[in-house]
């Protein structure tokens, strides 16, 4: 039976959900201002950052209600937390140097790439309690791997790729596989740290 979360944890989860939902709303509004509805929705659904923030928003919303079921269950929560931390790391090391957002785009970027990951990490710490094991670590790679297949497939259809490192036009097949493998290994490493935190919390 799932435990009931403490009130401070529920409040933190609520803050995490709020930041994620608001950031997503701002980003969608920006796209709607630049293109048609269907193209905006299609483009919105093309980014790992956005899709992972949606998962984070749903997970945190469930946790804010005091639940540890659904996406707020230990293993899905681990995978989502690892993925959103990957978002932050990848953005600041690979993407941030390539552009300088301003205005509402800057606000959306801060929410999705900085505040969201930080709050998710804090929520993971607050909800830790020895509920997962080392055998669960590789499961965190499932979502990034699934997204990579999805991103390449949709790019092959319409010619648009959200990220240069998943664009087969900009790199060889080997380089593309290395990119996918590299991100899978990174998310596994992040998940291992999360499991270590969880196990340490269980020991008190």
């Amino acid at each position: 039976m799932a435990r009931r979360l403490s009130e401070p944890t529920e409040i933190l989860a609520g803050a995490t959900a709020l930041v994620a939902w608001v950031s997503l709303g701002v980003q969608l509004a920006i796209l709607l201002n630049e293109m048609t509805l269907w193209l905006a929705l299609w483009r919105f659904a093309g980014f790992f950052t956005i899709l992972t923030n949606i998962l984070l928003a749903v997970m945190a919303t469930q946790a804010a209600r005091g639940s540890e079921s659904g996406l707020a269950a230990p293993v899905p929560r681990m995978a989502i937390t690892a993925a959103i931390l990957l978002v932050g790391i990848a953005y600041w090391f690979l993407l941030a140097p390539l552009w300088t957002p301003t205005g509402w785009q800057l606000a959306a970027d801060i929410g999705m790439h900085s505040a969201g990951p930080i709050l998710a990490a804090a929520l993971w710490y607050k909800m830790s309690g020895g509920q997962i094991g080392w055998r669960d670590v590789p499961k965190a790679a499932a979502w990034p791997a699934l997204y990579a297949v999805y991103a390449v497939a949709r790019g092959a259809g319409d010619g648009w790729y959200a990220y240069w490192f998943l664009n087969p036009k900009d790199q060889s097949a080997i380089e593309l596989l290395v990119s996918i493998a590299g991100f899978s290994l990174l998310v596994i490493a992040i998940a291992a740290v999360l499991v270590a935190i969880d196990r340490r919390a269980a020991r008190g």
Side-chain angles (χ1 to χ4, degrees):
M1 183 177 179
R3 58 180 177 170
R4 178 73 187 187
L5 299 178
S6 67
E7 184 176 353
T9 301
E10 291 180 10
I11 291 173
L12 176 59
T16 304
L18 180 62
V19 167
W21 286 123
V22 170
S23 300
L24 288 164
V26 170
Q27 184 60 66
L28 181 58
I30 291 171
L31 292 176
L32 287 170
N33 190 52
E34 297 174 349
M35 56 193 74
T36 63
L37 172 63
W38 294 112
L39 182 56
L41 291 175
W42 178 243
R43 188 63 57 86
F44 189 73
F47 291 92
F48 182 75
T49 291
I50 290 174
L51 295 175
T52 301
N53 269 276
I54 291 174
L55 293 175
L56 173 63
V58 174
M59 180 272 284
T61 299
Q62 292 175 335
R65 295 173 178 171
S67 173
E68 280 194 302
S69 59
L71 293 183
V75 172
R77 179 162 43 86
M78 174 201 66
I80 292 168
T81 303
I84 198 66
L85 290 174
L86 174 66
V87 163
I89 292 170
Y91 178 79
W92 286 109
F93 282 95
L94 296 178
L95 301 177
L98 302 180
W99 76 322
T100 305
T102 59
W104 287 110
Q105 185 62 70
L106 176 60
D109 273 26
I110 290 173
M112 291 190 291
H113 297 113
S114 298
I118 291 170
L119 287 168
L123 184 60
W124 176 263
Y125 179 78
K126 289 290 291 183
M127 293 180 69
S128 290
Q131 297 169 293
I132 56 176
W134 297 114
R135 66 184 180 280
D136 297 312
V137 169
K139 298 174 184 177
W143 165 233
L146 179 63
Y147 171 79
V149 173
Y150 161 73
V152 173
R154 62 173 278 159
D158 65 9
W160 179 81
Y161 296 87
Y163 306 104
W164 62 265
F165 46 82
L166 290 178
N167 187 346
K169 298 177 182 179
D170 293 340
Q171 53 190 338
S172 67
I174 296 298
E175 290 172 327
L176 180 61
L177 289 174
V178 169
S179 294
I180 295 173
F183 276 92
S184 296
L185 290 174
L186 180 55
V187 81
I188 287 174
I190 295 170
V193 173
L194 295 176
V195 171
I197 292 171
D198 185 77
R199 293 172 69 87
R200 183 177 180 84
R203 293 195 297 269

